[in-house]
């Protein structure tokens, strides 16, 4: 195991997750072990043993032609049975290994998806999406790699040592003892050198993850790369990460080569010893020809198996290094988690209360206070605008309502129910969320609209699109509702994406609505169409509208002005303008009233 306690823990934790998934299919795992042992015992050791008996019988004297089957019949039958059994074990090993990898990889993929899907937005904000995908793929591949190493070479090596001892000790104990001592030296040296280079594999895996992250970042933001002519800059960043991968892989290669050369030298010594014993075995110990064949065959088998230990250890190093990234993710505590006794949220009206809220971010050990003893009540059915300067806490407040982050102190109530005591899924299904950048999947327009209500009929999807002012442009597309939107909806304009997001919210028909800068990135014509759709969407719902454009919130029932995490002003548009405070100043700047 690695010397670094943290790395040792990661290795043990990786084994924990792998065993957890394997234990669910214990029958397959046991069948794999037994079939591997049977395959090795019968074909690698049973065949040579029967052949040694045949050689010994031949050396005793010639056999008449008509007595061949009488004398050698039992040996022939034994060889046939051994080979039938060995081949059966071989095919059973193939099946169980393949099947086990399929079902366990399914469980590992599910485990990884659940961990990533249920992590907080804070967790995802601090990581490359491409790196997480890469780590998940490597984690699953590492299990396959580890199982392959167990079935070959490590289990065959163990079998070889046991069978060689069991079969040679009774007939040539001195030779067997010397052979076992040399093999023990071989194993110890391999293990010591393995420990020394384990960290090189982890560093190589880390460099590969960084390379994947750089590639993902550049591809995800390819429009910015091209429009700013920064291809050379991104290439330089990628090349730097790529060179780091080359450097780490080269160090790992040379360390593995050094270990391989050392163990190869031990193999030469072992074969030299067996040559001496075979040459003088009959003269010194009266060893029969059949036993000499056994000594050579078994020694050759076990040393060949040991030769693969180097490759096996290298593959284990790589497997644990590759798996370490996602293992750390799986061990990461959930910043937002359901309480053990969490119950579904039931919304009948949609009243929202923020009571004595204290919330702060912790980044790099630095605590940034956002809300301190914050209070805000929103009656059911009221449409409320949140305005203020950037950093005032508008978007953060909506994220706390959605439990994309958890408050440290206080309560957030929906119809009198503390959201921290309800399940996250039930909470978010009662809130239709429309962000500034529409969140579309690389799927059809119909699937995107029906995402919040997948059982909706095509007619219901069409009606939601009509109410969202999206029907006209959708039906003008060649494939209509079956048009694939592209990654993040890249095939559609900003206004089109936003109207599809509004159609999704309309179809979801949630009692609470959160609009976070839903029109800020649109042109005037698109904004008018979207604004009209939003008016329909807000009817009869409790709505929280975050906006920098005050024209978006001017017609709402109430406007709350946030300043440094506090409510500085609260009231209808006309009242706040007449008051002449912070809101009036913002309104005048945006409408040009000062100029007039």
């Amino acid at each position: 195991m690695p010397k670094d306690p943290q790395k040792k823990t990661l290795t043990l934790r990786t084994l924990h997750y792998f065993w957890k998934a394997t234990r669910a299919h214990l029958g397959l795992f046991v069948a794999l072990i037994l079939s591997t042992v049977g395959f090795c015992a019968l074909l690698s050791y049973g065949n040579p043993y029967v052949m040694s008996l045949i050689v010994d019988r031949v050396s005793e004297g010639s056999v008449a032609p008509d007595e061949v089957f009488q004398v050698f019949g039992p040996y022939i039958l034994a060889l046939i049975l051994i080979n039938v059994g060995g081949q059966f074990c071989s095919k059973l090993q193939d099946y169980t290994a393949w099947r086990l990898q399929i079902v366990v990889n399914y469980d590992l993929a599910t485990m990884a998806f659940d961990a990533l899907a249920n992590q907080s937005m804070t967790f995802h904000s601090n990581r490359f999406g491409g790196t997480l995908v890469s780590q998940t793929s490597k984690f699953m591949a590492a299990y396959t790699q580890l199982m392959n190493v167990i079935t070959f070479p490590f289990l065959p090596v163990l079998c070889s040592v046991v069978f060689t001892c069991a079969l040679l000790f009774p007939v040539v104990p001195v030779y067997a003892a010397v052979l076992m001592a040399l093999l023990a030296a071989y194993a110890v040296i391999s293990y010591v050198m393995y420990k020394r280079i384990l960290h090189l594999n982890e560093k190589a895996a880390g460099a590969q993850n960084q390379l994947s992250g750089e590639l993902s970042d550049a591809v995800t933001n390819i429009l910015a790369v091209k429009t700013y002519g920064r291809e050379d800059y991104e290439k330089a960043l990628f090349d730097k990460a790529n060179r780091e991968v080359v450097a780490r892989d080269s160090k790992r290669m040379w360390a593995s080569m050094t270990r391989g050369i050392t163990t190869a030298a031990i193999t030469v010594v072992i074969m030299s010893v067996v040559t001496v014993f075979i040459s003088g075995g009959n003269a010194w110990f009266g060893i029969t020809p059949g036993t000499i064949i056994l000594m050579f065959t078994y020694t050759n088998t076990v040393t060949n198996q040991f030769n693969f230990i180097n490759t096996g250890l290298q593959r284990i190093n790589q497997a644990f290094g590759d798996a370490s990234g996602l293992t750390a993710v799986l061990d990461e505590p959930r910043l937002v988690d359901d309480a053990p006794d969490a119950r579904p949220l039931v919304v009948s009206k949609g009243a929202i209360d923020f009571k004595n809220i204290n919330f702060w971010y912790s980044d790099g050990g630095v605590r940034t206070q956002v809300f301190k003893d914050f209070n805000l009540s929103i009656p059911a059915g009221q449409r409320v605008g949140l305005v203020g300067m950037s950093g005032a806490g508008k978007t953060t407040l909506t994220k706390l309502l959605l439990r994309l982050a958890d408050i440290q102190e206080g309560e957030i109530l929906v119809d009198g129910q503390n959201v921290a005591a309800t399940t996250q899924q039930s909470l978010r299904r009662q809130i239709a969320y429309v962000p500034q950048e529409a969140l579309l999947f690389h799927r059809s327009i119909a699937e995107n609209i029906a995402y919040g209500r997948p059982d909706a009929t095509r007619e219901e999807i069409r009606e939601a699109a009509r109410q969202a002012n999206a029907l006209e442009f959708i039906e003008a597309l060649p494939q209509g509702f079956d048009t694939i939107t592209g990654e993040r909806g890249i095939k559609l304009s900003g206004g089109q994406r936003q109207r599809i997001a509004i159609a999704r919210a309309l179809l979801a028909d949630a009692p609470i609505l959160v609009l976070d800068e839903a029109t800020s990135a649109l042109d005037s014509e698109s904004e008018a169409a979207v604004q009209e759709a939003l008016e329909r969407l807000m009817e009869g719902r409790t709505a929280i509208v975050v906006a920098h454009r005050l024209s978006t919130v001017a017609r709402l029932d109430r406007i709350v002005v946030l300043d440094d995490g506090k409510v500085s002003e609260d009231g209808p548009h006309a009242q706040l303008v007449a008051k002449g405070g912070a809101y009036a100043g913002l309104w005048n700047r945006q409408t040009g009233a000062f100029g007039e």
Side-chain angles (χ1 to χ4, degrees):
M1 291 297 169
K3 293 181 180 179
D4 187 331
Q6 184 177 359
K7 292 173 182 176
K8 179 178 180 180
T9 301
L10 272 178
T11 300
L12 292 176
R13 293 299 296 164
T14 298
L15 286 172
H16 162 76
Y17 290 119
F18 285 170
W19 175 243
K20 182 179 179 182
T22 303
R23 190 174 53 197
H25 310 281
L26 196 58
L28 278 173
F29 180 73
V30 171
L32 173 61
I33 299 301
L34 293 178
S35 61
T36 303
V37 172
F39 166 73
C40 182
L42 293 171
L43 297 185
S44 297
Y45 284 83
N47 275 336
Y49 182 76
V50 174
M51 288 303 299
S52 73
L53 297 179
I54 293 174
V55 169
D56 279 343
R57 178 62 186 85
V58 170
S59 66
E60 292 175 4
S62 61
V63 177
D66 58 345
E67 296 179 345
V68 169
F69 287 105
Q70 179 183 346
V71 174
F72 294 105
Y75 303 133
I76 294 171
L77 179 61
L79 279 173
I80 291 173
L81 293 176
I82 285 171
N83 280 277
V84 169
Q87 292 301 327
F88 172 79
C89 288
S90 172
K91 300 313 160 195
L92 181 61
Q93 180 197 48
D94 291 342
Y95 168 76
T96 53
W98 203 336
R99 183 63 185 165
L100 187 66
Q101 289 170 17
I102 290 173
V103 294
V104 171
N105 272 328
Y106 172 85
D107 291 345
L108 292 176
T110 302
M111 183 190 301
F113 182 86
D114 287 345
L116 296 175
N118 289 295
Q119 268 294 1
S120 67
M121 289 307 297
T122 302
F123 168 90
H124 286 285
S125 297
N126 292 324
R127 287 165 173 82
F128 282 125
T131 297
L132 292 174
V133 172
S134 172
Q135 287 174 337
T136 300
S137 298
K138 287 183 176 182
F139 185 74
M140 295 165 61
Y143 177 81
T144 300
Q145 180 93 292
L146 194 61
M147 290 308 300
N148 287 340
V149 172
I150 289 174
T151 54
F152 184 82
F154 285 137
L155 198 52
V157 165
L158 180 61
C159 292
S160 296
V161 172
V162 172
F163 295 144
T164 299
C165 287
L167 294 170
L168 290 185
F169 257 115
V171 289
V172 277
V174 175
Y175 172 74
V178 172
L179 178 61
M180 291 303 110
L182 290 171
L183 291 175
Y186 185 111
V188 169
I189 292 172
S190 291
Y191 180 67
V192 169
M193 298 186 77
Y194 155 75
K195 288 203 302 180
R196 289 178 180 174
I197 68 169
L198 182 60
H199 70 285
L200 296 178
N201 290 280
E202 292 169 350
K203 289 182 177 179
Q208 187 63 54
N209 287 336
Q210 182 64 28
L211 180 67
S212 299
E214 293 289 356
L215 179 60
S216 173
D217 203 27
V219 170
T220 302
N221 297 287
I222 192 64
L223 183 60
V225 174
K226 288 187 171 296
T227 52
Y228 282 88
R230 298 287 278 172
E231 290 91 343
D232 289 345
Y233 175 74
E234 293 300 327
K235 181 180 178 181
L237 289 179
F238 182 81
D239 187 62
K240 180 181 178 182
N242 207 5
R243 288 181 183 277
E244 183 66 13
V245 170
V246 171
R248 297 294 185 186
D249 281 343
S250 296
K251 286 185 179 179
R252 177 168 61 177
M253 177 192 70
W254 285 115
S256 297
M257 288 296 296
T258 301
R259 184 182 60 196
I261 292 170
T262 303
T263 52
I266 299 175
T267 302
V268 172
V269 172
I270 292 173
M271 293 311 296
S272 300
V273 170
V274 73
T275 303
V276 171
F277 268 90
I278 286 174
S279 301
N282 182 262
W284 299 334
F285 305 106
I287 298 173
T288 65
T291 302
I292 289 175
I293 288 177
L294 275 187
M295 291 168 59
F296 177 80
T297 304
Y298 288 173
T299 303
N300 189 57
T301 298
V302 76
T303 52
N304 281 338
Q305 299 284 15
F306 265 73
N307 275 334
F308 291 112
I309 284 183
N310 290 320
T311 305
L313 289 174
Q314 181 179 341
R315 287 158 62 194
I316 283 183
N317 284 345
Q318 184 175 352
F320 283 125
D322 287 349
S324 62
L326 193 75
T327 296
V329 169
L330 292 173
D331 280 344
E332 189 94 10
R334 293 185 184 179
L335 299 179
V336 179
D337 205 0
D338 287 341
D341 57 348
R343 57 188 182 277
L345 176 70
V346 179
V347 179
S348 56
K349 298 178 180 178
I352 303 171
D353 292 288
F354 297 89
K355 290 189 174 182
N356 302 316
I357 299 299
N358 284 296
F359 175 72
W360 56 83
Y361 289 112
S362 293
D363 191 5
V366 178
R367 195 171 93 167
T368 304
Q369 187 88 35
V370 182
F371 295 110
K372 185 175 182 180
D373 297 326
F374 179 86
N375 290 276
L376 179 66
S377 291
I378 302 174
Q382 189 175 74
R383 301 176 304 165
V384 177
L386 294 182
V387 301
M389 302 296 289
S390 294
K394 305 183 296 298
T395 296
T396 300
L397 195 64
T398 64
K399 288 183 176 179
L400 295 178
L401 173 62
L402 286 157
R403 283 197 72 198
L404 299 177
D406 265 345
I407 57 176
Q408 282 83 16
E409 297 172 1
E411 289 182 318
I412 300 176
L413 307 176
V414 175
D415 281 350
Q417 302 162 80
N418 189 341
V419 299
T422 64
T423 62
Q424 295 175 66
Q425 282 197 3
S426 68
L427 166 67
R428 292 164 190 159
R429 286 174 180 170
Q430 300 297 325
I431 302 173
Y433 176 64
V434 182
Q436 177 178 355
E437 182 183 354
L439 307 173
L440 301 187
F441 294 89
H442 183 60
R443 300 169 192 172
S444 71
I445 289 177
E447 287 177 286
N448 272 288
I449 292 176
Y451 191 71
R453 206 180 117 202
D455 60 341
T457 65
R458 181 56 68 97
E459 188 53 41
E460 288 172 326
I461 294 171
R462 190 176 185 279
E463 176 59 20
R466 186 190 66 76
Q467 292 186 39
N469 288 342
L471 185 60
E472 184 178 351
F473 86 79
I474 292 173
E475 290 188 332
L477 296 170
Q479 282 80 43
F481 281 92
D482 294 320
T483 300
I484 301 299
T485 62
E487 187 176 8
R488 295 193 173 191
I490 196 171
K491 294 182 179 180
L492 305 176
S493 70
Q496 290 172 336
R497 290 196 297 269
Q498 205 67 343
R499 278 176 274 174
I500 289 176
I502 293 170
R504 176 193 292 169
L506 280 161
L507 190 60
D509 196 26
I512 299 172
L513 176 64
V514 173
L515 305 175
D516 190 358
E517 300 284 0
T519 63
S520 64
L522 304 179
D523 59 79
S524 299
E525 185 176 348
S526 295
E527 182 182 10
V530 169
Q531 193 67 48
E532 183 182 343
L534 290 175
E535 290 288 342
R536 295 195 190 101
L537 179 59
M538 285 188 282
E539 288 177 8
R541 293 181 171 86
T542 305
I544 298 176
V545 182
V546 176
H548 278 109
R549 290 184 185 178
L550 301 188
S551 59
T552 305
V553 299
R555 289 183 291 179
L556 299 181
D557 303 323
R558 173 185 172 198
I559 297 167
V560 175
V561 182
L562 296 182
D563 182 18
D564 195 25
K566 298 182 178 64
V567 176
S568 63
E569 293 181 333
D570 187 351
H573 168 76
Q575 178 184 321
L576 294 182
V577 171
K579 184 178 178 182
Y583 179 81
L586 291 171
W587 177 259
N588 289 333
R589 277 194 290 274
Q590 288 194 14
T591 59
F594 285 150
E596 296 172 3

